[in-house]
Amino acid sequence: MTSTDINERILISKPTVARNLFNRMLREPGISDRFIPTRANNSWDTNFATIQDSSSGSPTGKKARENNDSPRDTSAYHCLLRNELLGDNIEDIKTQCDDRQALTPNQKNLFKYGTPARIRNEKTPIKLQSNPYSLSPLSQSSQRLLRSPHKATRKISRIPFKVLDAPELQDDFYLNLVDWSVQNVLSVGLGNCVYLWSACTSQVTRLCDLSGDSNAVTSVAWSERGQMVAVGTHHGYVTVWDVAANKQVNKLQGHTARVGALAWNGDVLSSGSRDRIILQRDTRTPPTVIERRLGGHRQEVCGLKWSPDNQYLASGGNDNRLYVWNMQSLSPVQTYTDHLAAVKAIAWSPHHHGLLASGGGTADRCIRFWNTLTGQPMQYVDTGSQVCNLAWSKHSSELVSTHGYSQNQILVWKYPSLTQVAKLTGHSYRVLYLALSPDGEAIVTGAGDETLRFWNVFSKARSQKETRSVLSLYTGIR
């Protein structure tokens, strides 16, 4: 057979091959001569999850932050998309609306290619039908979603609303030189003097001057009624002053070293010293009468706090120990040794009976929580910096912590999730001093940079989740 015959047979057979291929395509719908995208079988749950999150540094996320879009608004938008595209019946905004499931390797394709006949029997997304008489283009679930109650997000200002100069405010971790009374007066120990600042009138008065005794102020503490202020000194004695009369009413001796921690319980004043002893004395009795002498710490006592019911005293020391004392025994009833550094920061929760929080120094950096009713440790969080002070909010389960080495920041925490609500910066030295305002909304912080800064950190409204329960044994009966 010549080459001409072969070429003629090929030309003749081409139409036949094309006809046979076309007939085969008709018989087998899965074969196509070109790629036609079909969207009928798309997995919209998968495709929706592949959309880049707007909060991950994208231009959209940056624009949202510039427009002050709250996380709840972003969640509402994603919930609307799920309702309209995926047919989800989301009628209340939840944080999981914005959670994206990670895709497995076999779910990466956005579109599948094939003939419509091949996917005719596959499941397709169900689109919720809107009311035919509704004037809104959204489904009924989306309309209920938009009508759901909107809880305003509390915003905490990152800058202080007031800054005061505090010359000679010592940069000493073991001292307590700032306190705020229930009568809205701030007491500050500066060098060898104690000054009072009225938050109502902004008037500053000098309460006492220890320069004649070559002494220095090491601690200050207001009484519960805000009429008396106790002043601990470097020489080891404690003076008690009547603020209204502007005179000293008592001078308590007994310590052999500086007094860095003070705590009131009615008319009884507890003092902790570098001599490792805690003394409890009634300020109405003569100064030589010592009611109780508590020995247990092996180094300087730098933290003292009474429980809200005035039944237990928590003490922290430079020996890394946290003790809990009661009114009957001269020995600690509970001992906690989990901290790896000095324990100065101590705070009793006003919302959870028996809950105690404590913070460790530079080598520890942790805030730990203790159930003093059972003596068992609870959760803890590593803050990354030296913990100098702790204070609970009076109105919600939040607490604020101040820090030293190495970030000098102020952190607001949500309990019990221990999530950070806010991070405040401004001090250039360790934030060694902290006091809570009488209304429970503001705090004042002091540092070695010789400034006092006032911040609005807490909300005055009580959370709805913290309403009193009839099943609570410690809120119904006292």
Side-chain angles (χ1 to χ4, degrees):
M1 182 179 297
T2 64
S3 60
T4 302
D5 297 335
I6 295 176
N7 291 337
E8 290 178 355
R9 292 191 59 181
I10 293 176
L11 291 174
I12 295 173
S13 63
K14 281 184 178 180
T16 306
V17 173
R19 188 182 305 110
N20 294 336
L21 180 59
F22 180 74
N23 293 333
R24 183 183 177 187
M25 285 165 42
L26 294 177
R27 293 191 303 270
E28 301 180 14
I31 300 177
S32 175
D33 62 336
R34 56 180 176 155
F35 293 106
I36 302 175
T38 61
R39 297 171 175 82
N41 66 330
N42 285 329
S43 177
W44 287 103
D45 294 289
T46 301
N47 300 345
F48 181 81
T50 60
I51 302 176
Q52 184 179 7
D53 190 358
S54 60
S55 61
S56 59
S58 62
T60 305
K62 182 178 180 180
K63 183 177 180 181
R65 289 191 298 270
E66 293 176 353
N67 295 334
N68 295 326
D69 290 344
S70 65
R72 191 183 189 281
D73 295 335
T74 305
S75 298
Y77 174 73
H78 288 291
C79 289
L80 286 176
L81 288 181
R82 296 185 69 91
N83 281 347
E84 300 304 313
L85 296 180
L86 309 181
D88 291 351
N89 285 323
I90 302 176
E91 297 182 358
D92 190 13
I93 297 176
K94 300 182 183 297
T95 55
Q96 59 265 28
C97 295
D98 199 24
D99 294 338
R100 311 290 175 80
Q101 298 292 334
L103 297 179
T104 55
N106 60 352
Q107 292 179 316
K108 290 183 177 180
N109 293 334
L110 292 179
F111 299 102
K112 295 181 181 180
Y113 296 91
T115 58
R118 184 178 179 86
I119 59 172
R120 185 175 302 162
N121 296 326
E122 294 187 8
K123 183 180 179 180
T124 59
I126 300 176
K127 171 75 173 180
L128 291 181
Q129 298 296 328
S130 301
N131 189 338
Y133 301 102
S134 175
L135 299 178
S136 173
L138 301 177
S139 62
Q140 295 181 5
S141 297
S142 296
Q143 295 179 39
R144 295 191 189 98
L145 176 67
L146 295 177
R147 289 194 298 264
S148 62
H150 180 82
K151 183 179 180 180
T153 303
R154 182 167 63 91
K155 295 182 179 180
I156 299 178
S157 175
R158 267 43 176 188
I159 59 176
F161 64 87
K162 183 182 290 292
V163 179
L164 298 179
D165 290 332
E168 298 186 58
L169 185 61
Q170 298 187 50
D171 185 25
D172 194 324
F173 176 79
Y174 302 98
L175 306 184
N176 295 272
L177 297 175
V178 178
D179 198 15
W180 207 333
S181 75
V182 294
Q183 295 185 0
N184 212 8
V185 178
L186 194 70
S187 63
V188 185
L190 302 178
N192 47 30
C193 297
V194 175
Y195 292 90
L196 305 179
W197 177 80
S198 173
C200 300
T201 63
S202 296
Q203 182 180 0
V204 178
T205 58
R206 187 173 64 181
L207 179 67
C208 63
D209 188 352
L210 306 179
S211 58
D213 196 16
S214 299
N215 207 346
V217 178
T218 54
S219 57
V220 294
W222 284 99
S223 63
E224 296 176 355
R225 298 185 183 94
Q227 299 172 346
M228 303 287 182
V229 60
V231 179
T233 65
H234 184 78
H235 288 175
Y237 62 82
V238 180
T239 58
V240 181
W241 293 77
D242 186 335
V243 176
N246 195 23
K247 69 175 183 178
Q248 178 180 315
V249 296
N250 209 334
K251 183 178 180 179
L252 307 176
Q253 299 186 2
H255 289 293
T256 59
R258 69 179 186 182
V259 179
L262 296 168
W264 286 86
N265 184 354
D267 294 314
V268 176
L269 179 63
S270 302
S271 57
S273 170
R274 182 178 273 183
D275 61 9
R276 304 170 294 178
I277 300 299
I278 301 174
L279 298 181
Q280 292 184 357
R281 294 167 285 195
D282 194 325
T283 57
R284 299 167 296 180
T285 60
T288 56
V289 177
I290 299 177
E291 290 191 349
R292 305 182 68 212
R293 185 184 183 94
L294 308 179
H297 285 284
R298 300 177 181 177
Q299 294 190 37
E300 180 174 7
V301 180
C302 51
L304 284 177
K305 285 292 174 62
W306 281 97
S307 61
D309 57 4
N310 291 333
Q311 297 300 312
Y312 295 94
L313 175 68
S315 66
N318 196 33
D319 54 0
N320 309 345
R321 302 204 172 204
L322 175 67
Y323 290 139
V324 177
W325 314 77
N326 63 11
M327 300 292 291
Q328 291 77 32
S329 174
L330 297 180
S331 299
V333 294
Q334 292 177 5
T335 302
Y336 302 107
T337 60
D338 290 3
H339 283 292
L340 304 177
V343 182
K344 177 195 176 186
I346 301 174
W348 292 89
S349 171
H351 312 290
H352 308 276
H353 185 72
L355 177 61
L356 177 64
S358 60
T362 307
D364 184 74
R365 305 175 303 179
C366 292
I367 300 175
R368 298 181 180 273
F369 299 85
W370 317 91
N371 185 346
T372 60
L373 300 180
T374 62
Q376 296 299 318
M378 302 174 69
Q379 67 264 46
Y380 72 95
V381 58
D382 189 343
T383 65
S385 296
Q386 176 189 42
V387 184
C388 301
N389 294 280
L390 289 171
W392 287 89
S393 169
K394 296 181 179 180
H395 310 290
S396 62
S397 288
E398 294 181 347
L399 72 159
V400 60
S401 60
T402 67
H403 300 268
Y405 302 125
S406 58
Q407 300 183 33
N408 306 328
Q409 77 272 41
I410 303 166
L411 301 178
V412 182
W413 305 86
K414 187 73 176 178
Y415 184 85
S417 62
L418 297 183
T419 56
Q420 284 190 25
V421 180
K423 178 179 179 181
L424 311 177
T425 57
H427 285 289
S428 57
Y429 281 67
R430 297 180 295 175
V431 190
L432 297 177
Y433 310 110
L434 169 69
L436 184 66
S437 65
D439 62 1
E441 289 186 338
I443 62 170
V444 59
T445 56
D449 56 11
E450 298 184 345
T451 62
L452 295 174
R453 298 173 184 265
F454 295 78
W455 318 77
N456 278 320
V457 295
F458 292 133
S459 175
K460 194 171 183 179
R462 181 179 294 271
S463 174
Q464 294 181 356
K465 295 182 180 179
E466 297 168 10
T467 54
R468 295 178 180 268
S469 171
V470 295
L471 300 180
S472 178
L473 300 179
Y474 301 103
T475 58
I477 302 176
R478 286 291 183 187

